[in-house]
Amino acid sequence: MRFFLETARLGLKNLRLHLLRSFLTALGIILGVSAVITMVSIGEGSKQQALDQIEALGARNIIVRSQKPPESQQAGGQQRSFSMRFGLTRDDLRSIRENFDDVETIVPLKSVGSQVLRDDRRLQSQSFGTTPDLKTLANLRLARGRYITPEDMADRAMVAVIGQEVAKTLFPFDDALGSTFRIDEKVVTVVGILAPVGLSGGAGAALVGRDLNLDVHIPMTTAETSFGDLVMRRSSGSFQANEVQIEEVYLSSATRESVLVDAARLRRLMETRHPNLTDISLIVPYELLESARKTALTWTLVLGFIAGIALLVGGIGIMNIMLASVTERTREIGIRRALGATRKHIIWQFLVETSVLSALGGLVGVGLGIAASLAIGVAIPYLPKLPAIGGMFPEGVELPTQLSPWSMFLSFGVAAATGLIFGIYPATVAAKQDPIVALRHD
């Protein structure tokens, strides 16, 4: 025990005598460890954001959506005026309900109106008739008021629940709750305001195909009796009148394990009614959730590997400096050997120095990596506000980070092991010095 304490004391004393050199030697380890933690936290943050966005749609949900057939899309880069019928029908919905009586919930959505208006303020309509079950099925949260009720359905009430952006646009200075606005020419009363939904970008927006903060929800019975099936869209140089009976159908499977089976059954049913599925699409968030997890794991490993190269470079730096130190301390080694030190003593002295360098560098790197990860998450949203370079970044830019304990322990462990491994060769070289030759060294 006394031997190890004395060896450690000598090693630390030598590092203290060359503080600047010791710091520069450990700098590679510091930057390598901090790079590993920072890059893994960025990867984990992006992964969690994507997973949260997908899970917000419900891991047990299956979405069937009406879509325009390929031949109805823009031709030659120009929009055309046309009227067509496509997508899900009420017969489709009836067939789904008959064949999927074992699922937990089936919720239809019906698109209505061409625009929503209040005085001189207007938005392109993103209004849907639906049922009270959508709130639970789509994990919608209310900021104020209430959602659609069975009484609204029975009374065909002219009421609406609106998203946050609709409330801000149509009621910038007034209280939206209890106020009225129009969907085309029909007046509806606001009974609820949805909480902000974080699906305006990223994987979630790709799934739903729209910003849910711009949604307007009314009772399905009201949509069928007051608006009909014809949905008109006007924009510069174009007019479209599409007859879509059902815009979307949400199915919620009884268990997460039955989602893929139900999705396969539903796909077969729809293929019999819509050959080649040209005018409808099926979205299974659970499939995308698993795919996102695998992709995120791959990227985390790639980022960790790239950052790990910095640790390798740091280890090579330690070995390089320690080899130079062997040459510089040849006479000291000779004196110690002449006084009775064995090769084992010399090896342990050098290993203590490299281990201390890498361990301290690892600890400082962990602290720096944690600080950098936290700073990135806080600082990135402010980049668009910078006077010189703010224009280079879009509004609302963010780079979420999530610290991973495993990355801290792993990077520190690798740093300590790196110092030990890369210190073995210089220590062995020092121990093999001939005492007589070493004493004669200038």
mmCIF file of all heavy atoms in Angstrom, residues 3 6-11 329-350 353 435 438-439:
data_model
loop_
_atom_site.group_PDB
_atom_site.id
_atom_site.type_symbol
_atom_site.label_atom_id
_atom_site.label_comp_id
_atom_site.label_asym_id
_atom_site.label_seq_id
_atom_site.Cartn_x
_atom_site.Cartn_y
_atom_site.Cartn_z
ATOM 1 N N PHE A 3 3.800 1.515 -1.169
ATOM 2 C CA PHE A 3 4.415 1.643 -2.495
ATOM 3 C C PHE A 3 3.509 2.423 -3.456
ATOM 4 O O PHE A 3 3.939 3.334 -4.161
ATOM 5 C CB PHE A 3 4.717 0.250 -3.049
ATOM 6 C CG PHE A 3 4.885 0.206 -4.548
ATOM 7 C CD1 PHE A 3 6.006 0.764 -5.155
ATOM 8 C CD2 PHE A 3 3.920 -0.380 -5.346
ATOM 9 C CE1 PHE A 3 6.150 0.733 -6.534
ATOM 10 C CE2 PHE A 3 4.064 -0.410 -6.713
ATOM 11 C CZ PHE A 3 5.183 0.139 -7.310
ATOM 12 N N GLU A 6 3.298 6.161 -2.455
ATOM 13 C CA GLU A 6 4.516 6.887 -2.802
ATOM 14 C C GLU A 6 4.618 7.102 -4.317
ATOM 15 O O GLU A 6 5.008 8.171 -4.784
ATOM 16 C CB GLU A 6 5.737 6.107 -2.300
ATOM 17 C CG GLU A 6 7.068 6.805 -2.547
ATOM 18 C CD GLU A 6 7.199 8.114 -1.777
ATOM 19 O OE1 GLU A 6 6.451 8.316 -0.801
ATOM 20 O OE2 GLU A 6 8.055 8.935 -2.165
ATOM 21 N N THR A 7 4.246 6.076 -5.067
ATOM 22 C CA THR A 7 4.274 6.188 -6.531
ATOM 23 C C THR A 7 3.289 7.253 -6.999
ATOM 24 O O THR A 7 3.586 8.063 -7.880
ATOM 25 C CB THR A 7 3.919 4.835 -7.170
ATOM 26 O OG1 THR A 7 4.844 3.846 -6.721
ATOM 27 C CG2 THR A 7 3.992 4.922 -8.682
ATOM 28 N N ALA A 8 2.096 7.260 -6.411
ATOM 29 C CA ALA A 8 1.092 8.267 -6.777
ATOM 30 C C ALA A 8 1.589 9.666 -6.421
ATOM 31 O O ALA A 8 1.397 10.615 -7.194
ATOM 32 C CB ALA A 8 -0.229 7.971 -6.067
ATOM 33 N N ARG A 9 2.228 9.793 -5.262
ATOM 34 C CA ARG A 9 2.736 11.113 -4.859
ATOM 35 C C ARG A 9 3.780 11.627 -5.849
ATOM 36 O O ARG A 9 3.760 12.787 -6.249
ATOM 37 C CB ARG A 9 3.330 11.017 -3.456
ATOM 38 C CG ARG A 9 3.746 12.368 -2.870
ATOM 39 C CD ARG A 9 4.451 12.181 -1.537
ATOM 40 N NE ARG A 9 5.741 11.511 -1.694
ATOM 41 C CZ ARG A 9 6.847 12.146 -2.090
ATOM 42 N NH1 ARG A 9 6.819 13.441 -2.383
ATOM 43 N NH2 ARG A 9 7.978 11.484 -2.204
ATOM 44 N N LEU A 10 4.684 10.752 -6.249
ATOM 45 C CA LEU A 10 5.723 11.168 -7.205
ATOM 46 C C LEU A 10 5.119 11.543 -8.558
ATOM 47 O O LEU A 10 5.535 12.503 -9.203
ATOM 48 C CB LEU A 10 6.749 10.040 -7.371
ATOM 49 C CG LEU A 10 7.681 9.795 -6.187
ATOM 50 C CD1 LEU A 10 8.527 8.535 -6.416
ATOM 51 C CD2 LEU A 10 8.573 11.009 -5.951
ATOM 52 N N GLY A 11 4.125 10.744 -8.990
ATOM 53 C CA GLY A 11 3.478 11.031 -10.274
ATOM 54 C C GLY A 11 2.759 12.369 -10.267
ATOM 55 O O GLY A 11 2.887 13.174 -11.201
ATOM 56 N N ARG A 329 13.345 12.671 -19.117
ATOM 57 C CA ARG A 329 13.604 12.227 -17.740
ATOM 58 C C ARG A 329 14.494 10.969 -17.679
ATOM 59 O O ARG A 329 14.457 10.229 -16.702
ATOM 60 C CB ARG A 329 12.267 11.960 -17.043
ATOM 61 C CG ARG A 329 11.407 13.216 -16.929
ATOM 62 C CD ARG A 329 9.952 12.921 -16.688
ATOM 63 N NE ARG A 329 9.722 12.202 -15.443
ATOM 64 C CZ ARG A 329 8.513 11.716 -15.078
ATOM 65 N NH1 ARG A 329 7.482 11.884 -15.902
ATOM 66 N NH2 ARG A 329 8.367 11.088 -13.936
ATOM 67 N N THR A 330 15.228 10.758 -18.739
ATOM 68 C CA THR A 330 16.087 9.572 -18.773
ATOM 69 C C THR A 330 17.055 9.539 -17.581
ATOM 70 O O THR A 330 17.239 8.495 -16.939
ATOM 71 C CB THR A 330 16.886 9.536 -20.088
ATOM 72 O OG1 THR A 330 15.969 9.466 -21.181
ATOM 73 C CG2 THR A 330 17.809 8.326 -20.125
ATOM 74 N N ARG A 331 17.687 10.672 -17.283
ATOM 75 C CA ARG A 331 18.643 10.723 -16.169
ATOM 76 C C ARG A 331 17.925 10.438 -14.836
ATOM 77 O O ARG A 331 18.461 9.725 -13.969
ATOM 78 C CB ARG A 331 19.330 12.077 -16.127
ATOM 79 C CG ARG A 331 20.481 12.129 -15.103
ATOM 80 C CD ARG A 331 21.251 13.430 -15.244
ATOM 81 N NE ARG A 331 22.338 13.487 -14.284
ATOM 82 C CZ ARG A 331 23.533 12.904 -14.430
ATOM 83 N NH1 ARG A 331 23.791 12.197 -15.536
ATOM 84 N NH2 ARG A 331 24.475 13.003 -13.510
ATOM 85 N N GLU A 332 16.720 10.986 -14.668
ATOM 86 C CA GLU A 332 15.950 10.730 -13.439
ATOM 87 C C GLU A 332 15.647 9.247 -13.297
ATOM 88 O O GLU A 332 15.742 8.676 -12.202
ATOM 89 C CB GLU A 332 14.636 11.520 -13.480
ATOM 90 C CG GLU A 332 13.698 11.225 -12.325
ATOM 91 C CD GLU A 332 12.277 11.708 -12.564
ATOM 92 O OE1 GLU A 332 12.101 12.702 -13.308
ATOM 93 O OE2 GLU A 332 11.343 11.089 -12.015
ATOM 94 N N ILE A 333 15.294 8.609 -14.427
ATOM 95 C CA ILE A 333 15.011 7.174 -14.398
ATOM 96 C C ILE A 333 16.263 6.396 -13.981
ATOM 97 O O ILE A 333 16.214 5.450 -13.181
ATOM 98 C CB ILE A 333 14.506 6.707 -15.776
ATOM 99 C CG1 ILE A 333 13.143 7.351 -16.082
ATOM 100 C CG2 ILE A 333 14.396 5.188 -15.834
ATOM 101 C CD1 ILE A 333 12.676 7.172 -17.506
ATOM 102 N N GLY A 334 17.424 6.822 -14.531
ATOM 103 C CA GLY A 334 18.682 6.152 -14.176
ATOM 104 C C GLY A 334 18.999 6.274 -12.702
ATOM 105 O O GLY A 334 19.444 5.299 -12.059
ATOM 106 N N ILE A 335 18.770 7.459 -12.147
ATOM 107 C CA ILE A 335 19.036 7.673 -10.716
ATOM 108 C C ILE A 335 18.117 6.796 -9.877
ATOM 109 O O ILE A 335 18.553 6.169 -8.898
ATOM 110 C CB ILE A 335 18.878 9.161 -10.354
ATOM 111 C CG1 ILE A 335 19.965 9.995 -11.045
ATOM 112 C CG2 ILE A 335 18.920 9.359 -8.848
ATOM 113 C CD1 ILE A 335 19.790 11.478 -10.896
ATOM 114 N N ARG A 336 16.839 6.746 -10.235
ATOM 115 C CA ARG A 336 15.897 5.926 -9.466
ATOM 116 C C ARG A 336 16.259 4.449 -9.537
ATOM 117 O O ARG A 336 16.182 3.737 -8.539
ATOM 118 C CB ARG A 336 14.468 6.139 -9.983
ATOM 119 C CG ARG A 336 13.923 7.535 -9.702
ATOM 120 C CD ARG A 336 12.416 7.538 -9.772
ATOM 121 N NE ARG A 336 11.857 6.746 -8.682
ATOM 122 C CZ ARG A 336 10.650 6.195 -8.701
ATOM 123 N NH1 ARG A 336 9.881 6.320 -9.766
ATOM 124 N NH2 ARG A 336 10.208 5.495 -7.670
ATOM 125 N N ARG A 337 16.671 3.998 -10.716
ATOM 126 C CA ARG A 337 17.068 2.589 -10.833
ATOM 127 C C ARG A 337 18.324 2.302 -10.015
ATOM 128 O O ARG A 337 18.446 1.241 -9.380
ATOM 129 C CB ARG A 337 17.336 2.251 -12.312
ATOM 130 C CG ARG A 337 16.094 2.222 -13.203
ATOM 131 C CD ARG A 337 15.119 1.131 -12.780
ATOM 132 N NE ARG A 337 15.746 -0.183 -12.732
ATOM 133 C CZ ARG A 337 15.940 -0.977 -13.792
ATOM 134 N NH1 ARG A 337 15.552 -0.546 -14.995
ATOM 135 N NH2 ARG A 337 16.498 -2.165 -13.661
ATOM 136 N N ALA A 338 19.283 3.279 -9.994
ATOM 137 C CA ALA A 338 20.524 3.091 -9.230
ATOM 138 C C ALA A 338 20.249 3.037 -7.738
ATOM 139 O O ALA A 338 20.983 2.391 -6.974
ATOM 140 C CB ALA A 338 21.507 4.211 -9.549
ATOM 141 N N LEU A 339 19.171 3.726 -7.300
ATOM 142 C CA LEU A 339 18.830 3.741 -5.878
ATOM 143 C C LEU A 339 17.955 2.553 -5.476
ATOM 144 O O LEU A 339 17.474 2.492 -4.339
ATOM 145 C CB LEU A 339 18.126 5.047 -5.525
ATOM 146 C CG LEU A 339 19.009 6.309 -5.611
ATOM 147 C CD1 LEU A 339 18.174 7.550 -5.369
ATOM 148 C CD2 LEU A 339 20.148 6.230 -4.589
ATOM 149 N N GLY A 340 17.670 1.668 -6.425
ATOM 150 C CA GLY A 340 16.949 0.450 -6.065
ATOM 151 C C GLY A 340 15.562 0.302 -6.654
ATOM 152 O O GLY A 340 14.883 -0.701 -6.396
ATOM 153 N N ALA A 341 15.091 1.291 -7.437
ATOM 154 C CA ALA A 341 13.760 1.176 -8.042
ATOM 155 C C ALA A 341 13.763 0.073 -9.103
ATOM 156 O O ALA A 341 14.723 -0.062 -9.872
ATOM 157 C CB ALA A 341 13.354 2.503 -8.673
ATOM 158 N N THR A 342 12.735 -0.721 -9.121
ATOM 159 C CA THR A 342 12.620 -1.794 -10.111
ATOM 160 C C THR A 342 11.881 -1.283 -11.346
ATOM 161 O O THR A 342 11.344 -0.169 -11.364
ATOM 162 C CB THR A 342 11.852 -2.976 -9.523
ATOM 163 O OG1 THR A 342 10.504 -2.568 -9.232
ATOM 164 C CG2 THR A 342 12.529 -3.481 -8.245
ATOM 165 N N ARG A 343 11.868 -2.119 -12.391
ATOM 166 C CA ARG A 343 11.115 -1.745 -13.597
ATOM 167 C C ARG A 343 9.628 -1.547 -13.275
ATOM 168 O O ARG A 343 8.974 -0.681 -13.846
ATOM 169 C CB ARG A 343 11.278 -2.835 -14.651
ATOM 170 C CG ARG A 343 12.667 -2.861 -15.289
ATOM 171 C CD ARG A 343 12.722 -3.875 -16.414
ATOM 172 N NE ARG A 343 14.010 -3.812 -17.095
ATOM 173 C CZ ARG A 343 14.338 -4.563 -18.139
ATOM 174 N NH1 ARG A 343 13.458 -5.456 -18.601
ATOM 175 N NH2 ARG A 343 15.530 -4.443 -18.706
ATOM 176 N N LYS A 344 9.104 -2.358 -12.354
ATOM 177 C CA LYS A 344 7.693 -2.210 -11.978
ATOM 178 C C LYS A 344 7.430 -0.840 -11.375
ATOM 179 O O LYS A 344 6.388 -0.210 -11.656
ATOM 180 C CB LYS A 344 7.321 -3.305 -10.974
ATOM 181 C CG LYS A 344 5.845 -3.285 -10.576
ATOM 182 C CD LYS A 344 5.493 -4.446 -9.685
ATOM 183 C CE LYS A 344 6.118 -4.279 -8.308
ATOM 184 N NZ LYS A 344 5.638 -5.307 -7.343
ATOM 185 N N HIS A 345 8.371 -0.324 -10.569
ATOM 186 C CA HIS A 345 8.199 1.001 -9.968
ATOM 187 C C HIS A 345 8.125 2.068 -11.051
ATOM 188 O O HIS A 345 7.279 2.981 -10.984
ATOM 189 C CB HIS A 345 9.358 1.303 -9.023
ATOM 190 C CG HIS A 345 9.418 0.392 -7.846
ATOM 191 N ND1 HIS A 345 10.573 0.162 -7.123
ATOM 192 C CD2 HIS A 345 8.458 -0.374 -7.232
ATOM 193 C CE1 HIS A 345 10.337 -0.687 -6.145
ATOM 194 N NE2 HIS A 345 9.047 -1.022 -6.195
ATOM 195 N N ILE A 346 9.021 1.963 -12.048
ATOM 196 C CA ILE A 346 9.042 2.963 -13.130
ATOM 197 C C ILE A 346 7.752 2.905 -13.939
ATOM 198 O O ILE A 346 7.151 3.936 -14.268
ATOM 199 C CB ILE A 346 10.271 2.729 -14.042
ATOM 200 C CG1 ILE A 346 11.570 2.785 -13.238
ATOM 201 C CG2 ILE A 346 10.282 3.763 -15.163
ATOM 202 C CD1 ILE A 346 11.799 4.102 -12.542
ATOM 203 N N ILE A 347 7.313 1.679 -14.251
ATOM 204 C CA ILE A 347 6.066 1.536 -15.028
ATOM 205 C C ILE A 347 4.891 2.152 -14.280
ATOM 206 O O ILE A 347 4.090 2.905 -14.847
ATOM 207 C CB ILE A 347 5.800 0.041 -15.321
ATOM 208 C CG1 ILE A 347 6.800 -0.483 -16.351
ATOM 209 C CG2 ILE A 347 4.367 -0.165 -15.828
ATOM 210 C CD1 ILE A 347 6.687 -1.969 -16.618
ATOM 211 N N TRP A 348 4.788 1.862 -12.983
ATOM 212 C CA TRP A 348 3.658 2.388 -12.212
ATOM 213 C C TRP A 348 3.701 3.913 -12.108
ATOM 214 O O TRP A 348 2.651 4.560 -12.132
ATOM 215 C CB TRP A 348 3.647 1.774 -10.812
ATOM 216 C CG TRP A 348 2.948 0.456 -10.765
ATOM 217 C CD1 TRP A 348 3.493 -0.773 -10.602
ATOM 218 C CD2 TRP A 348 1.538 0.248 -10.934
ATOM 219 N NE1 TRP A 348 2.532 -1.754 -10.651
ATOM 220 C CE2 TRP A 348 1.306 -1.145 -10.848
ATOM 221 C CE3 TRP A 348 0.459 1.089 -11.146
ATOM 222 C CZ2 TRP A 348 0.056 -1.710 -10.976
ATOM 223 C CZ3 TRP A 348 -0.807 0.535 -11.264
ATOM 224 C CH2 TRP A 348 -0.998 -0.844 -11.173
ATOM 225 N N GLN A 349 4.895 4.485 -12.019
ATOM 226 C CA GLN A 349 4.975 5.943 -11.931
ATOM 227 C C GLN A 349 4.412 6.593 -13.197
ATOM 228 O O GLN A 349 3.631 7.541 -13.126
ATOM 229 C CB GLN A 349 6.417 6.398 -11.718
ATOM 230 C CG GLN A 349 6.532 7.927 -11.602
ATOM 231 C CD GLN A 349 7.964 8.395 -11.397
ATOM 232 O OE1 GLN A 349 8.848 7.590 -11.130
ATOM 233 N NE2 GLN A 349 8.169 9.697 -11.518
ATOM 234 N N PHE A 350 4.801 6.066 -14.345
ATOM 235 C CA PHE A 350 4.311 6.642 -15.604
ATOM 236 C C PHE A 350 2.825 6.367 -15.805
ATOM 237 O O PHE A 350 2.080 7.209 -16.324
ATOM 238 C CB PHE A 350 5.129 6.101 -16.780
ATOM 239 C CG PHE A 350 6.406 6.849 -17.012
ATOM 240 C CD1 PHE A 350 7.539 6.582 -16.260
ATOM 241 C CD2 PHE A 350 6.477 7.845 -17.963
ATOM 242 C CE1 PHE A 350 8.718 7.276 -16.464
ATOM 243 C CE2 PHE A 350 7.655 8.554 -18.178
ATOM 244 C CZ PHE A 350 8.784 8.277 -17.424
ATOM 245 N N GLU A 353 0.783 8.818 -13.817
ATOM 246 C CA GLU A 353 0.713 10.135 -14.460
ATOM 247 C C GLU A 353 -0.297 10.144 -15.609
ATOM 248 O O GLU A 353 -1.124 11.063 -15.723
ATOM 249 C CB GLU A 353 2.099 10.529 -14.969
ATOM 250 C CG GLU A 353 3.110 10.777 -13.853
ATOM 251 C CD GLU A 353 4.470 11.178 -14.381
ATOM 252 O OE1 GLU A 353 4.548 11.600 -15.555
ATOM 253 O OE2 GLU A 353 5.452 11.061 -13.632
ATOM 254 N N PRO A 435 20.127 1.330 -16.640
ATOM 255 C CA PRO A 435 20.482 2.305 -15.598
ATOM 256 C C PRO A 435 21.807 3.011 -15.861
ATOM 257 O O PRO A 435 21.920 4.219 -15.655
ATOM 258 C CB PRO A 435 20.540 1.459 -14.328
ATOM 259 C CG PRO A 435 19.698 0.270 -14.615
ATOM 260 C CD PRO A 435 19.845 0.002 -16.070
ATOM 261 N N ALA A 438 21.374 5.391 -18.718
ATOM 262 C CA ALA A 438 20.512 6.494 -18.300
ATOM 263 C C ALA A 438 21.262 7.502 -17.440
ATOM 264 O O ALA A 438 21.051 8.712 -17.547
ATOM 265 C CB ALA A 438 19.308 5.933 -17.548
ATOM 266 N N LEU A 439 22.141 7.020 -16.563
ATOM 267 C CA LEU A 439 22.911 7.928 -15.713
ATOM 268 C C LEU A 439 23.869 8.791 -16.516
ATOM 269 O O LEU A 439 24.201 9.900 -16.132
ATOM 270 C CB LEU A 439 23.692 7.113 -14.668
ATOM 271 C CG LEU A 439 22.853 6.567 -13.498
ATOM 272 C CD1 LEU A 439 23.680 5.583 -12.683
ATOM 273 C CD2 LEU A 439 22.347 7.696 -12.620
#
